[in-house]
Amino acid sequence: MQLRRVVITGIGTINPLGHSIDEYFTNLINGVSGAGPITRFDSALFKTNFACEVKNYDPSQFGIDRKEERKLDLFTQFALISAAQAVEDSLLDVSQEDVDRIGVIWGTGIGGIDTLFQEIKGYVAGGGNPRFSPYLIPKMIPDIAAGLISMKYGFRGPNFATVSACASSTNAMADAFNYIRFGKADIIVTGGSEAGITPPSVGGFNSSHALSTRNDDILRASRPFDKTRDGFVMGEGGSALVFEEYEHAVARGAKIYAEVGGCGMSADAYHITASHPEGAGAILAMRTALEDAGVHPGEVDYLNVHGTSTPVGDPAELIAVKKVFGDDVYKLNISATKSMTGHLLGAAGSLEALACICAMQREMIPPTINFEHEDPEIDYTLNLTFNKAQARKIRVAMSNNFGFGGHNATIILKAL
């Protein structure tokens, strides 16, 4: 069977660095931190009082009126906004397309957690009176974002959600890639969204010692590969990409951002939260992606690492990277853009795929900001692109995402 080529023809995002692709790309290259005090709830009693929120968010500015807003969890709002940007950017004329061949595959780690939390609070406050909202279930379920995107445009192709913690949207992109190249669809809107800045999320991650508690230095709290890193910073938002079969894109004269080269997925089979200390699953995911893409390690110019700023995860990932790339690792530019955006959990992968496209388009490597102190566990002969963007032409980029439960996913993008 001849596998079909898959390209990216539309992109969109709303995230802590901006409400649009251009705003995101500009702030990314300029090394802007998206961190700030938590405003979504009163965090005074929590160990962590800050996060990377979407700034100045007003649903009405995106065509979501008050009536519709009440029916949509925030993670779904972010999904609809980013997908609308991507579809518009693709210049897709839906009236001229076979909508049975257009699908939506969307990633989220925790879906409508705030909706669930608010309804449980109401139940407890009401003394156990089960007066739940009729919108509870459709607002909460992780697959609702994919469903509502399809309803908005009439897309009747493959439609589902992927849930694999922080690898969710990378798994969504991998599924979209495979559905198209194996001939099951021609176009798929893919990506991910998350709205996890809520009391149970922040409290839960605090209890597992995963979040930074650098409350006195918020803008510099996310500091991958720095000796003083103490955990990740929670982020929120959404990002979308239109994946399309190459010949179909060419036939309609679509602009093409990049080709999807390959993907790799694996499991650590090790621990519920910690990465494998020698990066076993990460190695398998990266090697599988390189093989799938037909790319030699020495051909990769840029690697956007998972790089969450956790004491255990950062060195383990670099151990895996060095094993996969061998001596070619020293030719790589590596950066951790979570230092700016925070960690969008299930939406991280699609946002970081956009960071790879940013690097390709602007011929600049986004930096890893906030580095100050060397850690003996980190090899600083690697080019970790600290603190300032670096000019470089990108032909091949790789992005890694790893999730609680030992999920690993890697995607490779190629310039045409």
Side-chain angles (χ1 to χ4, degrees), residues 2-23:
Q2 180 68 39
L3 296 181
R4 306 193 308 167
R5 295 171 67 186
V6 180
V7 293
I8 298 167
T9 58
I11 53 179
T13 188
I14 180 168
N15 67 70
L17 297 188
H19 292 186
S20 67
I21 286 292
D22 186 62
E23 194 177 1

Side-chain angles (χ1 to χ4, degrees), residues 303-352:
L303 171 59
N304 189 301
V305 288
H306 188 56
T308 57
S309 186
T310 57
V312 174
D314 289 4
E317 183 172 9
L318 291 185
I319 287 170
V321 169
K322 290 175 72 173
K323 288 182 179 178
V324 169
F325 284 88
D327 290 340
D328 291 314
V329 75
Y330 301 103
K331 304 174 187 176
L332 269 177
N333 266 95
I334 299 169
S335 73
T337 51
K338 289 184 181 73
S339 59
M340 294 174 276
T341 64
H343 190 359
L344 272 68
L345 307 179
S350 52
L351 186 62
E352 287 152 19

Side-chain angles (χ1 to χ4, degrees), residues 17 22-33 340 358 362 364-369 387-390:
L17 297 188
D22 186 62
E23 194 177 1
Y24 170 53
F25 282 6
T26 298
N27 286 329
L28 199 65
I29 294 300
N30 288 331
V32 175
S33 171
M340 294 174 276
C358 171
R362 302 207 173 185
M364 294 287 288
I365 306 294
T368 304
I369 67 169
N387 298 327
K388 187 177 180 180
Q390 295 177 13

